[in-house]
Amino acid sequence: MRQTKQRRGILALILSMVFVLSLLSGCGGGGDSSNKGSSESGEDNGVVGLWESEEWGGICLELLDDGTGTIYTYSDMGDITYSWDGEVLTLMNENEDGELEEVTGELQKDGSIGIMGLGYFFPVEERSYGPDMDGSSFMEAGGMESELEGDWIHTSGNRMLTFDGSGSLTFQEMYEGGSSSSSSGWYSYDGETVTVDTSAGISEGYIDDEGDLIIEIDGEGGWYSRGDSSQLTYPDITGPEAEMVGQWVNSYTGDSVEFTRDGSAVYAIGGSFGVASPFTFDGETVTFSDYTGYIDAAGDLIVEGLDGWFSRSESSGGDSGSGDSGYALGGAYDNDEAEVSIVFYSDGTVTISDFDSAQDGIYTVDGSYVWLEMEGTVQYEGYYDPFADIFTLDGLDGEFYGVDDPWYTP
């Protein structure tokens, strides 16, 4: 079996998330952790035994009469301690920093124990979950997992495997229309066979003579090459929508709409900036956000309720490119609402800062789409309005506007 340090990823994730939720909800302090209750003294064993919840794909708590226990999922297991006062159950887990975290649950009228984020646990006679159970996705370590550490990009550019070097992985997939998914899993590598366990199931592959990973995941073969997340792209849209890709400008009002290859529409209309995903086009009618329009005999876009018409920008040529930036961001931008400044450099690097700290990273501009990765850990996505020279980033309030020098710096 894996060493404890290597296999506690999902357990630490679950318990740490529940710990945060308990703080936010105010239920984290339901019990006095200094009072271990009667579970440690053996006077009340009403909670001793097996308790299971169907959340997180299935969780089992095995609570012993000495105040210790084990938490099981389908793919992992780990040690916990607990206290019980007859009504409140407190689970304790040591995080990666060696700090003790607690989360509490309360006895319900139906006899279950409700733990926020973990669900309702009911007493059972036999354990259903655990890496030793039939159908478990638990796998033995191969001993060479560190050789695969890093990002691996599929030949399509739309899938990425990220190996952490110790047996855990993240599988990310981008879909037509601007959506994506990400899931965690396990992997092993013994020098010959690479085994990955994702939400799509267990797959086996190998490293070829070129150093690429040859493997089929969820029915899609091909190979994965070493790279980084900046190479991950959305699939180009197909069908009638592809005919709309490009920049459309209303010279009468100054409004603009850009239909992008990933199926989204970025628009600046009436002084408002927005993003709609996906947009639709059936060969006649165009819809994006709350707007509906059509292509007239001259090939222009008429949007209902708006004056004038939108003509395809000559610079777009009916296509927003194939990976080249439609617009170049450069210089400094401030966001007063988020109290953040960003400086873009011509070499593709970027610095984001506030009054307390600064981080360096890299950035990409593809049409109106902006993507930033800060020091390989934090990623931001957003959209740029070239006419107003402003942009927004998901997760940050407010808009960034151009300035001569950044204001929010340490």
Side-chain angles (χ1 to χ4, degrees), residues 264-334:
S264 60
V266 184
Y267 58 91
I269 296 177
S272 298
F273 175 71
V275 179
S277 181
F279 73 88
T280 65
F281 179 57
D282 60 6
E284 297 181 0
T285 303
V286 182
T287 63
F288 59 96
S289 186
D290 296 327
Y291 298 99
T292 301
Y294 63 92
I295 303 299
D296 67 8
D300 295 320
L301 170 61
I302 309 298
V303 178
E304 297 176 0
L306 300 180
D307 296 331
W309 60 88
F310 292 78
S311 298
R312 192 187 296 272
S313 171
E314 294 182 1
S315 62
S316 70
D319 195 333
S320 61
S322 180
D324 297 329
S325 297
Y327 303 102
L329 278 169
Y333 291 80
D334 284 347

Side-chain angles (χ1 to χ4, degrees), residues 233-275:
T233 61
Y234 291 101
D236 290 352
I237 57 175
T238 57
E241 283 83 2
E243 300 175 18
M244 296 297 298
V245 169
Q247 187 79 21
W248 297 72
V249 178
N250 187 324
S251 58
Y252 181 76
T253 62
D255 296 335
S256 68
V257 181
E258 182 181 13
F259 299 101
T260 66
R261 297 191 318 275
D262 66 12
S264 60
V266 184
Y267 58 91
I269 296 177
S272 298
F273 175 71
V275 179

